[in-house]
Structure formats: structure tokens, C-alpha cells
Amino acid sequence: MFIGDSGEISNSQVKRWLKDPMLYHQELRHLSRRMYTTNGVYTNVIDYMISLPTLDSVVYSNNKNSHKKSKQNVEKYKTSLKKMRDKVVIRDALRKSAIDGLAFYYFNTELSPTLPSSLEDYDISQITEINDFDFNCALMPLPTDYCKIIGTLNSSYVVAFNLSYFDQFLSNGRSLKLKRYPQEIRKRYQEYRKDFTKKWLVLENKKTVAVKVRASIEEPYGRPLGLAAFIDMLYEDYFTESKRGVLDDNNNLIIYQTFPEGDSKGSSSLTNTQQKDQHDNIRNALFARGNRKKVSFFSVAAGTKLDKVSANVELLKTNSEEALIKKIATDLGFAGSALNGEGSNFTSQKTNLDLVAAEIFSWVEQLESEFNKVINYNIIQDPKDHIEVYYLPITYINRSETITNMKELYTLGKGSLIAWISATGFRPDAYLALMDYEIAEDFEEKYKPHLTSYTATEDGGRPSNDNPTNENTIKSKTNGTNNYPKKQ
């Protein structure tokens, strides 16, 4: 039995939900959110997954005809990403996708009204997007439980928003909440208040970002990451609570006494006063047993028996938790050893993390496409020059390997310096700006490198040794072997 947000939830209920996840999508999302806050394995798996990619990116243009114009558009695209804090939004979307199976955002370029100088507790508890007045660009999160995918447009999801979302807010709070939403939604909400049957607003596709995971294109909802593990997580929770109950029973020791029986069955040979005095003496002595330095002494009537009710502690001797935790981790696609670092070698752990990263990057690809859609349509506004962002498939596990690959492409082939810089985690524009600054400040002349084997001679390379001690080196210098021409 599991205690959920709305009372007890049984395994049979969850099994019924799992049979039709599209029908019971809301129940499964709420269960997933509950598990994220209560189950340590689920929490760690999701947190590790969303932090695994480095989200290093490059922005480029496909327009080969006008470099100057493309450069301006690329810079405008980069500015858009900075203003909407793309990495923060992506990790937020990844977390929501893992927990809820989907995530929704509205691309807002309107000027938001400034907040009043004073707010009530209810008003200030709402986190809102406050745009500046320079260049407005923000992705506003939409409440998952009030959004639904109703179709596709050029393989991009079309989203409907349930306007009854605002009904839960009270007068001033509702007004303040509506002010933070774009005009399109505010206007339709006023119409909805006149006709409550028109509660679904179909949002403009070019202004929405929608991500759906673990579901086919035609399905309206995604599936939470923990779908296959919920039953095991419920059992693990029940198993842990049962063990805690045994501990509580064992700690709450019950001691009882049986008075000596008198001549007639069922009656004691002690008077009522004697029974009370003996009961009080034993109780006081037992309650004082926590004081180790105190000696308790009492006498009992002949025939009195003292005994205790013992708890069954066999459950405490079982070691099923480890196997159960490993099973939950496996259900989630994570090797248990990747979580605790035990029981496996680095190669197998890396293989598992690479597989996990592959799934995460498939989610990032959706966000990448959505960013390209909304920024090009709302900010760049140049059909002849389509700008794109590409998030490199780099994780904190494979970064060194990727850097090596980018280095070899650059040094051995006709590789990209920007790609090489990006692979290191350094923003290319910041790195190149530093290089330009150092050239302008003439760093090479001001700050010459220390003399080393590679910088001491004008021609570079290791300086010659005029007094060699190695026997083979002496022979080579004597015979002039190093001066012979090499075979071609």
C-alpha cells in the first residue's frame, strides 16, 4: 500500500494505470512526482541523467551567400539563447520530461509590466518571468497538467492550453498571474469567462516549445521515466516501512506481571492495596532503568511472574533491499554500480552511462529543433538565412575522448577550431575574444614564454647539448650521423 497525495494507492490501482497510461496520464504523473521526492534511487537517477550532458553548443548559419548578414543573425541567435538561459531551460525540460514524460513552454517576446513595489504573500509566492526592455526573449513554462498535444505541424507538436488553469487563483492573484502571460492567452481567457465551454486554447505552433518522451508521435502524452519501476518502488517503500514497524515494536518493550493466584481461580492472594503497591514499585523501577548509575530494588509477593511481549525480528535479518534497489535501478535503465560505484568495472559503467546519454541526447534533439523553430520565426525573421544551434554530444564522461577527436580533426584534417574549443567546455566567442584581446595587447612580445626545450632556439625544438654524456649521442656527434640526409 502506498500513501499518495489523495490518500492510499494500492498496487492494483497502479497496475491498472500502467495498462492504459494515456487514460491515466495524470495519475501516473502525480505518482511519479511523489516518487521523485520519496524514493532515493529515482531521485538520483533523474538528477544524474539531467546533469550528464555538458550542453556545449555551436550556433551556425546555412547561408553561404552573405557572410556579413549571417554573422549578424548568428550573433542575434546567440543573444537569444543567453537571454532565455538555454542551459537552465534545457535541464528544467529534461527534469520535467523524466518525471512527467513531457514539458511545455511558451516563447514570449512581449514587454512584461514591471512588478509593483509591494506584494502580498500570495502574490510573491508565484515565480514569474520578468523581461527587460532591451531585447525580450523568454521561454515561459506552461503547467503540464493543463496542456495537451492535439496534433503536429511539420512534425512539431501542436499544443492546447486549458484556460481553467487561472480559475484556481483568487482576485488579485489571478490578475497578477494573467499579466505575466502573453496577450494571446489573456484575451482568450476573458472570452472563456463568458463561455466556460471554450476552455481549450490552441496555441500558435511557432511560439510553443513542446517535448514528449517515451511515446509515439500520435500519442497525446509522454510516459514518465519510472513507469516500469513504479511497482518495485512501491514494494520497496512497503518493505522499508515494514522494517521500521518491527523496529518500533521492538523498541516499545511491553513488560507485564502476573499476580500470585489465591485459593479461588482467577483471584489473587494479594489484596487490592498490595496489588497496587507492587504494580507501582515495579513500574517505577522499570521507568528508572534508563539511568545507568541508579540501582532499582523492589520485592514481589511469592508466586509473582514477570514476562515481556517479544517482537518478531526475523524481517530485520533479511537483506533484500540491495537486490530490490538494483532491480529498481535496472528498471530505470541505470546500472546499480553506476549509482554507488560498487560491483562493476569502469568500462561497463561507462558503457551504461553512454547508453543513458544516448537517450538524453534524443530528448535534447527535440529541444534543439524547437529552439530553432521559435527563435528563427520570432527573432531572426529571415527565411533565407536559417540559423541553427547544435548541442554537442558531450558528457562529463566522454569529454576527454571528444576533445581528442576534435583535436585530431583540427591538426590532421581540415577541422574546426570552434568545435575544438567548444569540446573543452569553453565558450568559443569568449575564447576567441580573449585571443583577440591578447593579440591587440601584444601579449607575445610583452609576456614571452619561459625558456624550455621547445622555445630556447630560434628554430624551435630541443636545444643541442654541447657536452653530451650518453655514449650513443657522442658517437652520433662524432660521426655526424644526424647530418646525413634522410631516405625519402
Side-chain angles (χ1 to χ4, degrees), residues 47-58 85-91 94 353 356-358 360-361 364 368 389-403 406 419-428:
D47 288 349
Y48 292 161
M49 287 181 71
I50 65 175
S51 61
L52 191 60
T54 63
L55 298 181
D56 300 314
S57 63
V58 293
R85 300 180 68 190
D86 61 319
K87 288 188 178 183
V88 174
V89 173
I90 288 177
R91 296 199 192 280
L94 293 178
L353 292 176
V356 172
I360 285 293
F361 280 115
V364 173
E368 188 179 282
V389 62
Y390 173 56
Y391 291 93
L392 304 175
I394 303 175
T395 67
Y396 290 101
I397 306 299
N398 70 0
R399 184 189 283 283
S400 297
E401 179 183 344
T402 306
I403 292 174
M406 294 297 102
W420 185 8
I421 297 172
S422 299
T424 66
F426 212 114
R427 274 178 41 196

Side-chain angles (χ1 to χ4, degrees), residues 118-132:
S118 61
L119 293 170
E120 297 178 3
D121 290 341
Y122 179 80
D123 300 330
I124 206 168
S125 64
Q126 306 298 318
I127 298 177
T128 59
E129 176 68 35
I130 305 172
N131 292 321
D132 58 37

Side-chain angles (χ1 to χ4, degrees), residues 200-215:
W200 287 99
L201 166 63
V202 180
L203 299 174
E204 187 177 349
N205 177 259
K206 296 294 181 65
K207 292 185 177 181
T208 55
V209 169
V211 182
K212 180 177 63 175
V213 303
R214 296 183 168 232

Side-chain angles (χ1 to χ4, degrees), residues 6-74:
S6 58
E8 294 185 351
I9 299 176
S10 65
N11 284 350
S12 59
Q13 284 179 296
V14 178
K15 288 179 180 178
R16 184 172 70 253
W17 298 344
L18 295 177
K19 288 181 180 179
D20 195 345
M22 294 299 110
L23 177 62
Y24 297 103
H25 59 93
Q26 191 167 18
E27 290 84 351
L28 290 171
R29 283 200 303 272
H30 291 177
L31 177 60
S32 181
R33 294 168 193 171
R34 174 74 176 183
M35 286 300 184
Y36 178 70
T37 59
T38 59
N39 188 283
V41 177
Y42 197 36
T43 303
N44 288 331
V45 165
I46 291 177
D47 288 349
Y48 292 161
M49 287 181 71
I50 65 175
S51 61
L52 191 60
T54 63
L55 298 181
D56 300 314
S57 63
V58 293
V59 178
Y60 62 95
S61 168
N62 291 311
N63 185 4
K64 299 178 175 60
N65 298 322
S66 178
H67 173 71
K68 183 177 180 180
K69 186 177 181 181
S70 294
K71 183 179 179 181
Q72 293 175 346
N73 287 335
V74 166

Side-chain angles (χ1 to χ4, degrees), residues 163-194:
L163 295 167
S164 66
Y165 165 72
F166 299 104
D167 293 344
Q168 62 185 300
F169 302 102
L170 304 178
S171 57
N172 190 41
R174 181 187 302 168
S175 175
L176 189 62
K177 192 75 173 178
L178 282 167
K179 286 181 180 179
R180 303 302 159 206
Y181 275 74
Q183 184 179 6
E184 175 189 4
I185 295 178
R186 294 197 304 269
K187 181 180 178 181
R188 285 298 301 271
Y189 180 73
Q190 299 304 325
E191 296 176 6
Y192 156 75
R193 295 294 295 177
K194 298 176 183 177

Side-chain angles (χ1 to χ4, degrees), residues 197-411:
T197 61
K198 299 178 180 180
K199 65 179 182 179
W200 287 99
L201 166 63
V202 180
L203 299 174
E204 187 177 349
N205 177 259
K206 296 294 181 65
K207 292 185 177 181
T208 55
V209 169
V211 182
K212 180 177 63 175
V213 303
R214 296 183 168 232
S216 57
I217 294 178
E218 66 272 12
E219 289 179 314
Y221 303 101
R223 292 172 174 80
L225 179 68
L227 203 68
F230 283 155
I231 296 297
D232 288 328
M233 282 191 276
L234 290 173
Y235 180 72
E236 194 268 339
D237 182 69
Y238 172 73
F239 186 77
T240 302
E241 288 300 319
S242 298
K243 275 199 166 185
R244 289 172 180 165
V246 171
L247 284 173
D248 290 340
D249 292 341
N250 192 52
N251 289 333
N252 295 328
L253 183 64
I254 300 176
I255 296 179
Y256 64 92
Q257 66 170 322
T258 304
F259 294 122
E261 193 172 32
D263 295 333
S264 59
K265 190 171 182 63
S267 63
S268 174
S269 60
L270 303 179
T271 64
N272 290 338
T273 301
Q274 290 174 326
Q275 291 180 40
K276 183 178 183 305
D277 290 343
Q278 181 165 298
H279 174 81
D280 292 342
N281 289 337
I282 294 175
R283 182 192 62 190
N284 294 335
L286 290 174
F287 285 173
R289 65 193 177 108
N291 188 347
R292 296 184 180 180
K293 295 183 179 180
K294 184 176 180 180
V295 177
S296 299
F297 176 80
F298 58 89
S299 299
V300 296
T304 299
K305 295 180 180 180
L306 296 178
D307 207 345
K308 63 180 180 179
V309 178
S310 300
N312 187 354
V313 295
E314 290 300 318
L315 185 63
L316 299 177
K317 299 178 183 179
T318 62
N319 295 319
S320 303
E321 295 101 320
E322 186 176 349
L324 193 54
I325 289 173
K326 286 183 178 179
K327 190 174 188 312
I328 293 173
T330 303
D331 292 340
L332 298 173
F334 238 88
S337 59
L339 295 175
N340 55 30
E342 299 176 357
S344 182
N345 55 48
F346 175 77
T347 302
S348 59
Q349 290 178 5
K350 183 179 181 303
T351 301
N352 176 243
L353 292 176
D354 286 341
L355 293 174
V356 172
E359 181 171 12
I360 285 293
F361 280 115
S362 71
W363 301 359
V364 173
E365 284 177 2
Q366 292 188 54
L367 289 164
E368 188 179 282
S369 298
E370 294 290 277
F371 287 0
N372 292 335
K373 176 189 71 176
V374 296
I375 294 179
N376 275 286
Y377 178 79
N378 296 281
I379 303 297
I380 306 301
Q381 297 181 345
D382 188 351
K384 296 181 179 180
D385 189 16
H386 189 75
I387 311 299
E388 296 186 6
V389 62
Y390 173 56
Y391 291 93
L392 304 175
I394 303 175
T395 67
Y396 290 101
I397 306 299
N398 70 0
R399 184 189 283 283
S400 297
E401 179 183 344
T402 306
I403 292 174
T404 301
N405 292 338
M406 294 297 102
K407 178 181 177 181
E408 289 183 354
L409 283 172
Y410 184 78
T411 56

